[in-house]
């Protein structure tokens, strides 16, 4: 009798297990991450624009457990290569239904961070799949890798603000449709987007400059260093100097006073600062092709000195694998719109297809 009861209990337990949901925790090797993502004890911490989480599964739906630092981030939900929805994680840990009612079979889910690190961090704890689903091996790593160092243009600041107000708050920022992300997808390349709105090489709209931020895992922590051995791009694109071009002419700005005192920097200082930053990037990626671009805001307006500064800085490096390319001034107010981001990408893609062998 006891033996029968025992077998009965085992059968019930097996039945419950078969009907239980599948849990895929943040550290599970079936998950593929992209971006500078900090792996904490129970969660993956996403902060940089274009950071993403990708997983393959067999089933009809999938959910994720997330929490946001400020409830100020937005994520594209991408199913089988198509953006299907946008989620806005809240301050409390919560389960979000990402897909439901899918055709039975294999699917790929990607969560893509549209917003930059100024909007705060998001913690991803796990995926949850309904009964009878199955987690599958992760997608293969992309052979091509590209990294962008940039400012608001590269983040996609205000690219979805169609009112002309040029608002950079999270509802209007879509890094998925920035020229950087579009370019990476064109080449089927993995992307790291190491960018921040308002940043420059010699001066920013806040105390930190790109030479101080470029090597961080957590951009807000000077002691948090990124391990460059974890990601080796064949191509690096630097699009900086737009903010410098404004701020060096603002002697009453607090950052101007902090960086320069009462005298604006000389062209030699500007050229040397750019050259020094490119040297730093080269030291991390000795084999990469580095493309120093500028545009498409008014730093490339006709008569601007800033493309010339970049030309001189790069020429002084005497490195055949460092290039310059300038995207024409868009000649409209504010930051690039979605249409102008696409035009920037078309321009950069055309240049790369002609000049970069990777």
């Amino acid at each position: 009798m006891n033996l029968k009861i025992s077998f009965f209990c085992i059968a019930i337990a097996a039945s419950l297990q078969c009907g239980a949901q599948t849990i895929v925790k943040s550290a599970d090797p079936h998950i593929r991450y992209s971006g500078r993502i900090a792996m904490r004890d129970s969660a993956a911490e996403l902060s940089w624009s274009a950071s993403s989480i990708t997983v393959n599964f067999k089933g009809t739906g999938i959910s994720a457990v997330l929490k946001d630092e400020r409830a100020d981030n937005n994520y594209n939900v991408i199913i089988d290569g198509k953006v299907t929805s946008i989620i806005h994680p809240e301050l409390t840990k919560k389960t979000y239904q990402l897909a439901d009612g899918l055709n039975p079979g294999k699917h790929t889910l990607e969560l893509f961070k549209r917003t930059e690190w100024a909007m705060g961090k998001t913690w991803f704890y796990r995926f949850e799949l309904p009964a009878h689903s199955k987690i599958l091996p992760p997608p293969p790593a992309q052979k091509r890798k590209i990294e962008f160092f940039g400012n608001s243009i590269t983040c996609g600041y205000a690219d979805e603000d169609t009112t002309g107000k040029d608002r950079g708050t999270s509802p209007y920022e879509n890094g998925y449709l920035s020229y950087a992300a579009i370019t990476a997808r064109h080449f089927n390349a993995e992307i790291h987007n190491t960018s921040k709105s308002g940043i420059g090489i010699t001066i920013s709209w806040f105390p930190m400059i790109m030479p101080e931020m470029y090597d961080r895992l957590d951009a807000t922590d000077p002691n948090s260093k990124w391990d460059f051995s974890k990601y080796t791009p064949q191509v690096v694109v630097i699009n900086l100097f737009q903010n410098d071009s404004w701020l060096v002419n603002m002697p009453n700005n607090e950052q101007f006073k902090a960086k320069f005192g009462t005298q604006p920097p000389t062209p030699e200082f500007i050229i040397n600062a750019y050259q020094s930053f490119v040297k730093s990037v080269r030291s991390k990626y000795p084999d990469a092709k580095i493309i120093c671009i500028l545009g498409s805001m008014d730093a490339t307006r006709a008569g601007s000195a800033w493309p010339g500064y970049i030309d001189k800085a790069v020429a002084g490096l005497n490195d055949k694998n460092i290039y310059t390319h300038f995207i024409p001034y868009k000649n409209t107010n504010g930051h690039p719109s979605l249409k102008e981001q696409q035009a920037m990408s078309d321009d950069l893609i055309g240049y790369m297809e002609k000049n970069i062998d990777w």
Side-chain angles (χ1 to χ4, degrees):
M1 185 68 177
N2 289 339
L3 188 60
K4 289 181 179 180
I5 293 173
S6 178
F7 278 129
F8 178 76
C9 291
I10 290 170
I12 292 294
S15 174
L16 289 172
Q17 181 63 32
C18 289
Q21 64 179 188
T22 299
I23 303 297
V24 187
K25 294 183 179 180
S26 58
D28 193 296
H30 289 89
I31 298 172
R32 194 187 80 192
Y33 292 99
S34 179
R36 296 186 181 186
I37 295 172
M39 300 304 296
R40 306 303 183 191
D41 288 342
S42 62
E45 183 180 276
L46 287 75
S47 55
W48 297 90
S49 178
S51 297
S52 67
I53 311 169
T54 305
V55 69
N56 286 335
F57 67 98
K58 186 176 182 180
T60 59
I62 187 168
S63 302
V65 178
L66 304 162
K67 183 177 77 170
D68 204 75
E69 183 179 14
R70 302 178 190 171
D72 206 20
N73 281 299
N74 294 306
Y75 288 77
N76 279 354
V77 178
I78 305 165
I79 301 291
D80 300 331
K82 181 180 179 181
V83 178
T84 57
S85 62
I86 299 168
I87 62 167
H88 182 77
E90 298 176 9
L91 293 170
T92 55
K93 188 175 176 181
K94 183 178 173 182
T95 301
Y96 296 84
Q97 185 74 48
L98 305 178
D100 193 23
L102 300 174
N103 292 326
K106 178 183 174 182
H107 297 284
T108 299
L109 164 85
E110 180 183 5
L111 270 181
F112 183 100
K113 192 171 188 290
R114 296 160 51 107
T115 38
E116 61 187 281
W117 66 255
M119 311 304 179
K121 302 179 178 73
T122 306
W123 290 276
F124 163 72
Y125 295 91
R126 62 183 179 270
F127 287 121
E128 297 176 349
L129 290 87
H132 310 298
S133 300
K134 183 180 180 182
I135 193 71
L136 299 174
Q142 291 145 293
K143 293 181 179 178
R144 286 175 166 172
K145 294 179 171 61
I146 188 168
E147 182 161 11
F148 288 81
F149 292 98
N151 50 39
S152 54
I153 300 170
T154 307
C155 292
Y157 179 104
D159 58 359
E160 288 199 335
D161 187 354
T162 59
T163 66
K165 295 180 181 179
D166 199 39
R167 288 170 289 186
T169 48
S170 65
Y172 308 102
E173 182 170 287
N174 184 355
Y176 188 74
L177 293 179
S178 74
Y179 78 94
I182 296 171
T183 299
R185 287 195 296 276
H186 173 85
F187 288 109
N188 191 27
E190 184 177 355
I191 180 175
H192 278 207
N193 190 345
T194 309
S195 302
K196 165 72 172 70
S197 292
I199 204 162
I201 286 180
T202 65
I203 184 172
S204 306
W205 293 93
F206 43 86
M208 183 168 53
I209 54 176
M210 182 58 83
E212 298 166 343
M213 186 189 79
Y214 88 103
D215 62 349
R216 295 184 184 182
L217 171 57
D218 180 344
T220 63
D221 180 1
N223 297 313
S224 175
K225 296 302 180 183
W226 169 243
D227 180 356
F228 283 90
S229 69
K230 290 185 175 181
Y231 185 80
T232 305
Q234 297 100 334
V235 174
V236 173
V237 179
I238 299 171
N239 188 3
L240 292 162
F241 260 179
Q242 178 62 51
N243 291 302
D244 305 69
S245 74
W246 289 330
L247 285 162
V248 297
N249 297 310
M250 298 181 179
N252 293 323
N253 181 276
E254 288 303 312
Q255 298 307 320
F256 182 104
K257 294 174 184 177
K259 296 291 184 185
F260 310 130
T262 59
Q263 295 298 317
T266 64
E268 291 74 22
F269 177 91
I270 293 168
I271 292 165
N272 288 339
Y274 192 94
Q275 193 175 81
S276 178
F277 176 65
V278 177
K279 282 182 180 179
S280 295
V281 173
R282 168 57 82 216
S283 73
K284 304 300 184 184
Y285 304 131
D287 299 321
K289 297 180 186 297
I290 301 173
I291 311 172
C292 299
I293 73 170
L294 188 62
S296 62
M297 293 177 71
D298 60 3
T300 56
R301 184 199 297 265
S304 169
W306 294 85
Y309 295 154
I310 294 174
D311 273 335
K312 288 180 181 178
V314 170
L317 291 169
N318 194 29
D319 185 330
K320 63 182 178 61
N321 285 319
I322 302 179
Y323 309 75
T324 61
H325 177 63
F326 306 115
I327 298 174
Y329 173 44
K330 63 188 181 68
N331 200 23
T332 56
N333 293 328
H335 286 76
S337 64
L338 292 179
K339 181 179 178 180
E340 289 164 341
Q341 289 278 1
Q342 181 66 60
M344 288 182 68
S345 179
D346 292 343
D347 185 294
L348 180 57
I349 288 167
Y351 176 81
M352 290 177 64
E353 288 181 336
K354 284 184 178 180
N355 297 280
I356 305 298
D357 180 14
W358 65 319

